[in-house]
Amino acid sequence: MSRRFLTKILTNKETTELDYIQEIDEDKYISIKKSIGIVDEVHNSMDLFLILQNNYNEIANFQETHIEKFIKNINEPLNIHKDDYTRLKIEINRVLQNYLSSVRMFVDHCDANLNRRFGKESAEYLNFKQTLSKFYDNNFEYRFIYKLRNFCQHCGLPVSDFSIDNYQDFITLELNFNSEYLLSEYDSWKADLKKDLIKINGMFSATKVISNHFKIMFLISQKIHSLYEKIFLGALTTLNFHTKEHRDEFELIIVTENNSTTESKNITITKFPFEIIDKFIKGIC
């Protein structure tokens, strides 16, 4: 039979000791574990969005890291070496693939977690699905990026063209999608997207599409945080209530003794998310 204890970790230069404070009954442990699970779930969604944001930043910084270097090596805009352009095209498609994967990962994980946490018929989950539907219906960039990952998986590299403006003192280069190429290579675009691409009829800026799409993803992330806000703060309040009396300079954990005997102890450790508790709980409790 397992026994659980609220425990301090006492450390010095030579040893580490566990100082049991009090035993934790099953009801209290279930409450603590449930609260930690909620905090971990919200923190996981934050981590997934940070991955998405970092991949977006890599695309946003592409102008400085790759395009400007590429332009400096152009002596004659109409005579660009094919190998140089191929390297540039491969690199932008590589970072775009990373962005598309992180978008899908973020949305799919949040969808599954909200469904599991609140239920398929809950107001929170339906609010989330309605938010996605609204952005899909009202924003070409969201519709396009949503399906572009399928294009990449089945057809090839989506950024296929570039355009150059040669001014008197400087040169600009724009990496583009090409609607004619996208339509000819992929026959599974939804009807609304097919109409969008037919209407564009040619090249359109990859940078602008991705920039506008990321702004939408930021709003979706904010919506997800708002759906979790009540139970997230409730979980932090619960964890703070169970631990604040015993917190000091030593680390506080839960130690579970599993089938321990007088001769040996098999233990597992549960850590508290104190960094997050301290960040959000001030002014609330």
Side-chain angles (χ1 to χ4, degrees):
M1 181 177 178
S2 296
R3 298 179 67 192
R4 299 182 178 89
F5 301 88
L6 193 63
T7 305
K8 289 182 181 180
I9 300 179
L10 306 180
T11 58
N12 56 41
K13 293 181 179 179
E14 298 180 355
T15 62
T16 298
E17 297 181 357
L18 299 179
D19 179 22
Y20 288 3
I21 300 171
Q22 62 185 33
E23 190 166 357
I24 299 174
D25 62 36
E26 190 67 15
D27 289 341
K28 182 183 288 187
Y29 180 70
I30 290 172
S31 174
I32 290 172
K33 283 291 288 182
K34 180 180 178 181
S35 297
I36 291 175
I38 292 170
V39 174
D40 287 345
E41 195 171 304
V42 173
H43 199 257
N44 181 57
S45 74
M46 294 178 181
D47 288 344
L48 290 172
F49 184 76
L50 285 176
I51 293 172
L52 188 159
Q53 186 175 42
N54 287 340
N55 285 331
Y56 168 74
N57 288 337
E58 191 171 4
I59 296 174
N61 293 332
F62 200 83
Q63 179 74 34
E64 296 179 6
T65 58
H66 291 84
I67 293 180
E68 289 185 3
K69 181 179 178 181
F70 179 79
I71 289 174
K72 286 179 181 179
N73 295 327
I74 297 176
N75 295 319
E76 173 53 55
L78 297 180
N79 190 28
I80 297 175
H81 198 282
K82 183 178 179 181
D83 289 345
D84 292 334
Y85 172 64
T86 297
R87 283 192 291 269
L88 186 69
K89 185 175 73 171
I90 289 173
E91 190 62 16
I92 186 60
N93 279 287
R94 180 188 68 80
V95 295
L96 175 58
Q97 291 271 20
N98 290 340
Y99 178 73
L100 296 176
S101 295
S102 59
V103 168
R104 182 61 64 88
M105 181 170 62
F106 174 71
V107 172
D108 287 355
H109 276 72
C110 289
D111 186 301
N113 288 337
L114 286 164
N115 187 356
R116 189 184 308 113
R117 175 63 59 187
F118 298 104
K120 195 170 185 178
E121 302 302 323
S122 66
E124 290 85 357
Y125 184 70
L126 292 176
N127 193 330
F128 168 72
K129 299 298 283 187
Q130 289 165 2
T131 298
L132 297 187
S133 294
K134 181 180 178 181
F135 281 122
Y136 184 94
D137 292 339
N138 296 324
N139 298 91
F140 162 71
E141 292 87 355
Y142 187 82
R143 290 194 296 275
F144 178 63
I145 293 296
Y146 182 81
K147 292 293 289 184
L148 190 62
R149 185 168 177 267
N150 292 346
F151 176 92
C152 295
Q153 287 181 321
H154 300 293
C155 299
L157 304 180
V159 179
S160 57
D161 291 83
F162 70 94
S163 56
I164 289 180
D165 288 320
N166 186 15
Y167 298 98
Q168 184 175 355
D169 297 322
F170 61 93
I171 299 171
T172 64
L173 183 147
E174 183 74 57
L175 292 162
N176 299 308
F177 301 112
N178 188 312
S179 62
E180 295 178 357
Y181 164 71
L182 295 171
L183 287 167
S184 66
E185 293 295 315
Y186 187 54
D187 59 4
S188 296
W189 298 106
K190 287 189 175 181
D192 49 5
L193 263 174
K194 190 172 291 187
K195 289 180 181 178
D196 291 332
L197 294 172
I198 290 172
K199 185 177 180 180
I200 290 172
N201 190 31
M203 294 190 299
F204 56 107
S205 169
T207 304
K208 290 178 182 177
V209 167
I210 297 164
S211 176
N212 289 335
H213 180 268
F214 178 74
K215 292 174 184 176
I216 294 171
M217 295 308 302
F218 179 77
L219 294 175
I220 290 172
S221 177
Q222 288 185 316
K223 167 59 71 174
I224 292 168
H225 291 165
S226 73
L227 295 175
Y228 272 106
E229 182 176 11
K230 184 177 179 179
I231 66 167
F232 177 67
L233 294 178
L236 294 178
T237 302
T238 296
L239 295 174
N240 187 60
F241 172 78
H242 287 306
T243 59
K244 63 182 178 181
E245 179 183 351
H246 305 285
R247 289 187 65 188
D248 51 28
E249 71 273 17
F250 297 105
E251 185 177 0
L252 195 64
I253 60 173
I254 293 175
V255 171
T256 301
E257 293 186 351
N258 305 294
N259 302 317
S260 298
T261 67
T262 55
E263 298 180 355
S264 64
K265 287 185 179 181
N266 182 309
I267 67 171
T268 56
I269 291 174
T270 302
K271 292 190 173 184
F272 293 95
F274 285 124
E275 183 177 348
I276 301 175
I277 293 171
D278 293 341
K279 180 178 180 180
F280 287 93
I281 209 70
K282 292 179 179 179
I284 297 171
C285 298

